[in-house]
Amino acid sequence: MEKSRSELGQIVVGVARDPLGLMGLIIVGVIVFCAIFAYWIVPYDPIAMDIKSRLQGPSAAHLLGTDQLGRDTFSRVIAGGQVALKVALPAVFGAMAIGLTLGMIAGYGPKWLDNLLMLFFDTIRSFPTVMFALAVVALIGPSLQTVVFVVMATSIPTYGRVARTQTLTLRNSEFILAERSMGASMARILGVHMLPNIIGVLAVLAAMDIPTVIALEAGLSFLGLGVKPPTPSWGALLKDGYSLIRQTPWLVVGGGLPIILATLGFTFLGESLRDVVDPKLRKQR
Amino acid sequence: MTETLLEIDHLSVDYETGRGDLKALRDITFDVNKGEIVGIVGESGCGKSTLISSILRLTAPNTRFREGEIRFKGQDLLQASERHMRDLRGADMSIVFQDPMQTHNPVLTIGQQMLDIQHRSKQSKADKLAHAAKMLGAVGIPDPEARLKQYPHEFSGGMRQRIAIAMALMSEPDLLIADEPTTALDATLEVQIIERLQELQREFHCAILFISHHLGVIAELCDRVVVMYAGAVVESGDVREIFHDPKHPYTRRLIECDPGHIKERARVLPTIPGEVPDLANLPEGCIFRDRCDQAMSRCATEVPPLDQLKEGHHAACWLNHEEVTT
Ligand SMILES: Nc1ncnc2c1ncn2[C@@H]1O[C@H](COP(=O)(O)OP(=O)(O)OP(=O)(O)O)[C@@H](O)[C@H]1O
Ligand code: SF4
Ligand SMILES: [Mg+2]
C-alpha cells in the first residue's frame, strides 16, 4: 500500500506546482478546515436568536452583521459550510461508488445487463433535478438527508456512464486477457485490475462535481426544498438575504461569497487534478 | 516413457462473420507430450492464435466449435465447465502473449501483479513476494526485490517479456503456451529469451507449445513441429527430420524463406508468391494449390489427407501419396 501513498503525494505536489491548482488547494483547505472546526471557530451559536441586535451591519462584535432574528451571519456562514460539505461529500462519494459499480458491471457484463443499466441511467437523467427534488420532498419531506439523496440519485448516471465507457475500452485490452488467462474471476478483474485504471478519472470528475453539488444544495435550500430552518445553509442565507436586501446587503454577501469561493476552489482543484492525473495515465499506458 | 498431455483431435473451429462462416481451423490433429516442446509455424492468419485461444477457451464471442475435442490430461476442455477452465488457467496451463508492452496492467506494480496471480495460494504475503522475487531472478531480472516495486513502464520490452514468462511459470504449470513471444523483440533479445526458455524448461519440466512464424527459432527450441497453412495442418513431425526432408511444398518454401536460413542477409526477404485462400470461401482440392509450383491435376479436385509417412511424420500432399503407392 505504500504505493498509493507515494502516488497521492506525487499528485498533491503536481497540483501545488500549478498556480491555479495551488489556489484551489488553499481555498478548499480553508473551507474544509472551517467546516471541521466550525464548532470552535464560530463566535456565536449560529442558531441563537438575539432580537435586540437584529439586522446590524458589520462591526467588531458581528463581523458580517446579523439577520432579521439577530443571529450572527459570520457564525452562520461557517456553520453553513459544514452543512454544504455534509451534503456534498456523501452525495458525491455515494454517487461515485454506486455509479462506478453499476458502470463497471454494465461495461463488463452481458449485453442485456448493459442495456438495462443504460436504460436506468437514462431514466434518471431524463428527470429535471428540481422536479425530482420536488417529488422527493413531497414524499419524504425536506431535510439534509433528502438533499443528499436527491443529489446522489441525480449524479449516479454521470459516474456510471464514464465508468462504463472506461470499462468497455479496457475489457478488450491485452492485459485483461492476460489476467483472464491466469484464471482471474470477473470480480478479481473488475476489482483488482480495472478499478485502479478507472478511479483516477472518476476522482477528477468528483472534484469537479462538488461545486455543482454545493450550488445545488444552496439552490434547493433557496427554494425551501433543502435543509430545514433554523439549520444554517448558504442557500438559506441567500434566501433570507434576498428578501431583506433593502434592509441589509450583508446576508446576500455572507451567503453568496462562500458559494462563489467554494465553486472556484473546487473547480481549480478539479481542473488541476485532471491535468496532473491524465498525462500520467497516458504515459503509463 | 512419453505421456500425452494435450491432444488436439480433429478440431474444427469457425468464426461467424457477416460474410458467412470463416473456417479458421479445419480438422486439426496433433499431440503434445509431457515435458515436450512443440512448435507451431505458419504465416500470419493461418489460425495459430485461434488454436491457442481455443485451448484456453478464451475465444472471441463469434467463435463456434464445430467438431473435435481438445483433451488436456485426458479431459475434453470443450465440454469442461467455465469454473473448471478458470481453475486450469494460470495453474495447470498458462500463456505468454506476443506483445510485452500490452500484457501488464499499467497502473499496478509488477509486485502487486505477481501477488495477485498467486491468489489461489494460502501463503503469507511475504512468502508470495519472496516467491515472486525468486521467479524474477530465475528469468534473469537483476535486483528482483527492488524491481517488484516498479511499474511496467519502467522496464524495457525484453524485460517485460521475461517478467511475463516469470508470471506464467509461477504456478509451475504442466503446459506453457507461448504465442510468438519474441516477435515484438529484436534479434539479440530473441536469442536471450529463447535460451532462457530452454533453461527454464529444463528446470520446470513443463511442456511448451511455442507459436512462431520463424522457423529458425522453432528449429532452435523445439522437439517437434506442426506446420499450419490456412487453418489446416499440412505437415508435422520431428524438427530435424522436417528440416532435412520436408514433405510438403509449403514447408519447403517456408524453410527457403526463413531469415535464419539465408546466409547473406538479403535486402528483401523472399516471400512465397500468391495469397492465402479466403477462409470463408474455401477452394476445392488442396488449399495450397494456388501457390504450389508442383500442383497436379488431382490437386484441383481432391483434398490431400494428412498421411503418416513415417513413424511420427505426417504430411498432407499428393506428391507423397504417389511415393506411398508406388
Ligand atoms: N473474432 C474473429 N472473427 C472473425 N475472424 C477472425 C476472428 N479472429 C480471427 N479471425 C480470422 O481468422 C483467421 C485466423 O486468425 P488467427 O488470429 O488465429 O491467425 P494467426 O495465425 O494467429 O495470425 P498472426 O500470425 O497474425 O497472429 C484469420 O483469417 C483472421 O482474420
Ligand atoms: S497436394 Fe498438390 S497442390 Fe497441394 S501441396 Fe501437394 S502438390 Fe501442391
Ligand atoms: Mg496470432
Side-chain angles (χ1 to χ4, degrees):
Chain A
M1 273 294 84
E2 62 275 5
K3 165 245 154 191
S4 64
R5 216 182 301 142
S6 67
E7 188 99 314
L8 197 67
Q10 256 172 291
I11 291 175
V12 171
V13 168
V15 169
R17 282 221 186 97
D18 167 32
L20 275 187
L22 184 62
M23 210 150 103
L25 214 54
I26 292 171
I27 297 175
V28 169
V30 169
I31 291 175
V32 170
F33 178 86
C34 290
I36 293 174
F37 300 104
Y39 181 80
W40 291 276
I41 294 174
V42 293
Y44 298 90
D45 179 352
I47 59 174
M49 292 182 257
D50 178 10
I51 302 294
K52 284 194 302 276
S53 51
R54 59 198 290 262
L55 291 175
Q56 288 183 356
S59 65
H62 298 283
L63 282 176
L64 283 171
T66 58
D67 66 3
Q68 75 275 31
L69 299 172
R71 297 176 295 199
D72 179 49
T73 305
F74 178 72
S75 301
R76 289 183 66 74
V77 168
I78 298 292
Q82 192 179 50
V83 170
L85 290 190
K86 265 188 191 161
V87 171
L89 295 182
V92 166
F93 286 110
M96 180 166 131
I98 297 173
L100 184 67
T101 312
L102 295 182
M104 290 210 306
I105 291 173
Y108 199 77
K111 190 91 199 96
W112 64 266
L113 194 58
D114 185 20
N115 289 337
L116 194 75
L117 285 166
M118 287 306 278
L119 184 72
F120 172 65
F121 292 158
D122 286 340
T123 312
I124 297 183
R125 270 157 47 109
S126 64
F127 288 115
T129 306
V130 174
M131 300 285 274
F132 183 63
L134 275 171
V136 175
V137 168
L139 276 175
I140 57 178
S143 71
L144 199 107
Q145 285 76 17
T146 311
V147 181
V148 171
F149 174 76
V150 168
V151 171
M152 190 164 82
T154 50
S155 351
I156 286 173
T158 317
Y159 295 99
R161 280 169 161 268
V162 173
R164 170 181 176 268
T165 318
Q166 297 277 325
T167 308
L168 279 177
T169 49
L170 283 174
R171 67 177 280 177
N172 292 320
S173 60
E174 229 181 272
F175 77 85
I176 293 296
L177 181 64
E179 289 326 319
R180 291 175 63 202
S181 78
M182 284 292 173
S185 61
M186 175 170 156
R188 181 168 295 278
I189 286 173
L190 289 181
V192 178
H193 294 281
M194 293 252 192
L195 188 66
N197 278 284
I198 299 176
I199 197 86
V201 181
L202 283 196
V204 172
L205 202 64
M208 309 261 259
D209 212 20
I210 287 176
T212 321
V213 170
I214 291 177
L216 196 60
E217 181 269 320
L220 290 175
S221 300
F222 185 84
L223 293 175
L225 303 173
V227 298
K228 266 184 298 199
T231 314
S233 140
W234 293 341
L237 266 169
L238 261 187
K239 184 186 171 200
D240 295 345
Y242 180 71
S243 52
L244 297 166
I245 194 134
R246 282 172 200 282
Q247 287 92 326
T248 170
W250 293 104
L251 287 174
V252 175
V253 174
L257 207 61
I259 296 179
I260 295 170
L261 275 178
T263 307
L264 284 177
F266 277 103
T267 308
F268 289 162
L269 184 66
E271 285 189 348
S272 176
L273 255 184
R274 185 193 56 203
D275 294 345
V276 172
V277 171
D278 254 7
K280 192 149 169 298
L281 288 180
R282 239 179 272 129
K283 191 181 75 206
Q284 286 183 349
R285 282 220 176 94
Chain B
M1 198 201 99
T2 54
E3 223 180 305
T4 318
L5 179 69
L6 176 75
E7 301 161 80
I8 313 287
D9 191 359
H10 298 285
L11 179 72
S12 294
V13 176
D14 293 358
Y15 286 117
E16 279 179 1
T17 69
R19 304 187 301 123
D21 286 356
L22 189 147
K23 299 188 170 49
L25 294 178
R26 297 177 313 285
D27 207 20
I28 305 284
T29 300
F30 70 90
D31 295 344
V32 177
N33 294 323
K34 278 205 173 129
E36 183 185 34
I37 309 186
V38 174
I40 298 182
V41 257
E43 286 166 293
S44 191
C46 73
K48 303 178 297 283
S49 296
T50 306
L51 177 65
I52 54 174
S53 59
S54 301
I55 297 172
L56 287 163
R57 274 233 336 247
L58 288 173
T59 48
N62 60 338
T63 311
R64 299 291 169 266
F65 295 106
R66 292 299 180 207
E67 239 175 282
E69 288 184 3
I70 299 174
R71 287 189 298 272
F72 183 71
K73 298 180 181 172
Q75 191 200 14
D76 185 5
L77 297 184
L78 298 184
Q79 304 299 327
S81 68
E82 180 50 40
R83 180 68 226 225
H84 183 72
M85 287 308 299
R86 215 165 68 208
D87 289 343
L88 288 181
R89 291 180 206 132
D92 296 23
M93 52 166 83
S94 55
I95 179 166
V96 176
F97 288 99
Q98 176 171 345
D99 187 356
M101 306 314 266
Q102 307 284 328
T103 53
H104 303 291
N105 192 335
V107 300
L108 298 183
T109 62
I110 293 301
Q112 288 173 317
Q113 299 186 46
M114 292 185 87
L115 272 182
D116 178 61
I117 52 180
Q118 297 179 74
H119 60 88
R120 296 188 185 91
S121 155
K122 298 269 181 297
Q123 285 178 308
S124 71
K125 192 177 159 190
D127 287 346
K128 286 183 185 177
L129 277 175
H131 186 204
K134 198 189 110 219
M135 288 307 300
L136 285 190
V139 295
I141 305 277
D143 197 11
E145 277 88 10
R147 288 299 212 158
L148 281 174
K149 296 194 184 78
Q150 292 184 311
Y151 289 90
H153 68 95
E154 298 174 63
F155 292 88
S156 67
M159 278 188 155
R160 289 203 210 183
Q161 196 60 305
R162 277 186 277 167
I163 294 169
I165 292 172
M167 288 182 174
L169 289 177
M170 201 121 105
S171 63
E172 306 195 2
D174 298 310
L175 176 66
L176 174 71
I177 302 172
D179 187 5
E180 306 192 24
T182 56
T183 309
L185 305 172
D186 60 41
T188 43
L189 285 175
E190 179 167 48
V191 173
Q192 284 179 12
I193 298 264
I194 298 300
E195 283 172 354
R196 191 62 73 172
L197 265 180
Q198 277 172 319
E199 280 171 38
L200 291 168
Q201 200 269 341
R202 262 174 251 135
E203 191 182 331
F204 289 90
H205 306 293
C206 58
I208 301 180
L209 189 56
F210 190 90
I211 288 93
S212 180
H213 50 231
H214 187 167
L215 263 182
V217 174
I218 299 264
E220 183 67 32
L221 184 69
C222 302
D223 306 317
R224 280 194 304 134
V225 60
V226 176
V227 183
M228 284 179 67
Y229 179 74
V233 174
V234 293
E235 185 162 3
S236 69
D238 181 80
V239 166
R240 245 161 279 128
E241 185 163 330
I242 286 193
F243 267 78
H244 290 124
D245 188 15
K247 290 293 187 194
H248 194 284
Y250 177 64
T251 316
R252 217 166 289 147
R253 300 303 297 267
L254 270 187
I255 295 173
E256 284 165 17
C257 290
D258 190 71
H261 203 263
I262 303 164
K263 300 281 180 313
E264 281 169 51
R265 283 220 159 196
R267 212 165 249 273
V268 184
L269 294 177
T271 48
I272 308 176
E275 273 175 43
V276 185
D278 179 5
L279 294 178
N281 222 330
L282 285 170
E284 249 184 279
C286 174
I287 38 160
F288 190 56
R289 190 177 57 97
D290 280 355
R291 301 167 79 179
C292 181
D293 48 14
Q294 288 165 284
M296 305 165 286
S297 58
R298 160 178 221 187
C299 308
T301 49
E302 293 173 71
V303 179
L306 187 66
D307 280 330
Q308 172 149 330
L309 308 173
K310 271 188 207 164
E311 176 65 36
H313 188 169
H314 296 74
C317 172
W318 288 122
L319 290 170
N320 305 308
H321 240 254
E322 282 171 350
E323 265 175 42
V324 171
T325 45
T326 50

